[in-house]
Amino acid sequence: MSLRLGAMLPEVLRHLFKKPATVQYPFQKIGVPKGFRGKPVMDPNLCIGCQMCVRDCPSEALEIHKESESTDEAGKVTKRFSMTFYLDRCSHCAQCAEVCPKKAIHMDTEFEDAAFDRGALKLTYK
């Protein structure tokens, strides 16, 4: 017993004066590292409706719907799209953001997306 205590005593004394390695999480927020992949966010004004993000999503967590189509006096057709993200399915792989030709999707740094209701994890951008 004394042999084990003698081998452990220097380690105990070394850690006695160090700062704690853990963070009191809900009260102290920690920063996220560069390149962190949080939840996907869309800018609907940039979306052209190509559906490449829907095709490449391995989790099938995206849907794109055409909301409206209008033609101005010059004959230019403007289409508006809405996108629905299902965060309960999303694996945060950022494939949708990488494949988007207009960079309408980017990954946010928010990582707290827990909810009591599954419907709260459905994001719709119009």
Side-chain angles (χ1 to χ4, degrees):
M1 179 73 176
S2 64
L3 181 64
R4 291 184 191 163
L5 183 63
M8 195 170 37
L9 191 60
E11 188 74 21
V12 170
L13 291 175
R14 193 172 332 130
H15 288 283
L16 190 62
F17 300 106
K18 283 187 177 181
K19 292 186 343 184
T22 59
V23 177
Q24 300 296 323
Y25 169 64
F27 308 109
Q28 296 176 354
K29 301 290 183 177
I30 56 173
V32 294
K34 185 179 183 214
F36 179 77
R37 297 182 307 216
K39 73 177 183 183
V41 178
M42 177 199 176
D43 183 4
N45 296 325
L46 296 176
C47 182
I48 58 173
C50 65
Q51 300 219 4
M52 289 178 68
C53 54
V54 175
R55 185 193 68 206
D56 283 355
C57 181
S59 305
E60 297 180 1
L62 298 168
E63 288 180 359
I64 293 181
H65 303 286
K66 186 164 80 170
E67 292 292 318
S68 65
E69 184 174 334
S70 61
T71 308
D72 61 1
E73 297 86 27
K76 183 180 177 184
V77 177
T78 304
K79 297 178 184 177
R80 302 284 299 173
F81 297 95
S82 68
M83 182 177 281
T84 304
F85 284 107
Y86 296 96
L87 293 178
D88 57 335
R89 295 186 215 160
C90 184
S91 62
H92 303 280
C93 66
Q95 185 65 31
C96 56
E98 290 176 13
V99 77
C100 184
K102 295 294 183 176
K103 302 300 179 199
I105 302 172
H106 68 277
M107 302 304 280
D108 197 5
T109 58
E110 187 175 330
F111 58 91
E112 299 169 327
D113 55 349
F116 288 113
D117 182 23
R118 188 175 186 178
L121 296 174
K122 179 181 171 182
L123 298 176
T124 303
Y125 295 97
K126 292 187 179 192

